[in-house]
Amino acid sequence: MFDYPVVLTPDGDSVLVTFPDIPEAITFGADTEDALQQAVDALETALSFYIDNRQPLPAPSPATGHPTVRPSGLESAKLGLYQAMTERGMRKAELARRLGWDVPQVDRLFDLTHTSGFDQIEAAARALDLRVEVNVSPREQIQNAS
């Protein structure tokens, strides 16, 4: 759902990572593997700017041969909830009312640096008439990414 393509560009002794769909996300790595690991943090940081500014999340474009990067599982769940809430035009105050929470609790739910409990994610999903699905699958191997 949140698999964003990245462009890897050799830059001297490092690899530059840029995201065509998220110009705010830029990072470097010592090699391809390190660059892709650093890219996750850059992606999560940039997407948190969208949440902080109450903007819709950018949709990932097709990979077209580029490697992709996705946020961690917990952050992906938070992003999915945020996206559903914004698509419905719902404000945080309404979600807080539905959950019986204070607004700062909802703010923490959408804070990508805060480790929310999975029970909180599921409660928010239920309040949005959604369910959370977990899928564990083999990790994709990056080929010809350098």
Side-chain angles (χ1 to χ4, degrees):
M1 178 175 193
F2 295 108
D3 292 323
Y4 288 92
V6 295
V7 176
L8 303 173
T9 307
D11 188 14
D13 292 337
S14 61
V15 177
L16 170 67
V17 182
T18 55
F19 290 78
D21 305 310
I22 306 172
E24 302 88 349
I26 301 171
T27 192
F28 285 90
D31 54 29
T32 298
E33 184 178 340
D34 182 51
L36 291 170
Q37 288 175 348
Q38 299 299 325
V40 173
D41 184 55
L43 175 62
E44 291 174 356
T45 300
L47 291 174
S48 71
F49 297 150
Y50 287 85
I51 293 171
D52 292 345
N53 293 316
R54 296 183 179 137
Q55 295 177 320
L57 299 174
S61 59
T64 60
H66 292 285
T68 60
V69 173
R70 71 173 58 160
S72 70
L74 179 63
E75 281 72 16
S76 291
K78 289 180 174 205
L79 291 165
L81 290 173
Y82 174 79
Q83 184 172 22
M85 190 180 79
T86 56
E87 286 173 354
R88 295 171 185 194
M90 183 184 294
R91 300 182 63 75
K92 290 179 184 178
E94 173 60 19
L95 182 58
R97 186 193 65 73
R98 289 184 183 193
L99 290 165
W101 296 357
D102 294 324
V103 173
Q105 288 175 282
V106 174
D107 287 336
R108 284 192 298 276
L109 182 71
F110 294 118
D111 180 350
L112 299 185
T113 62
H114 178 76
T115 305
S116 300
F118 205 72
D119 58 328
Q120 295 170 315
I121 300 290
E122 289 180 309
R126 283 191 302 275
L128 293 166
D129 294 323
L130 300 171
R131 69 173 186 219
V132 177
E133 295 181 2
V134 177
N135 179 28
V136 178
S137 58
R139 193 175 111 179
E140 296 174 13
Q141 298 297 316
I142 304 300
Q143 297 182 16
N144 300 327
S146 53

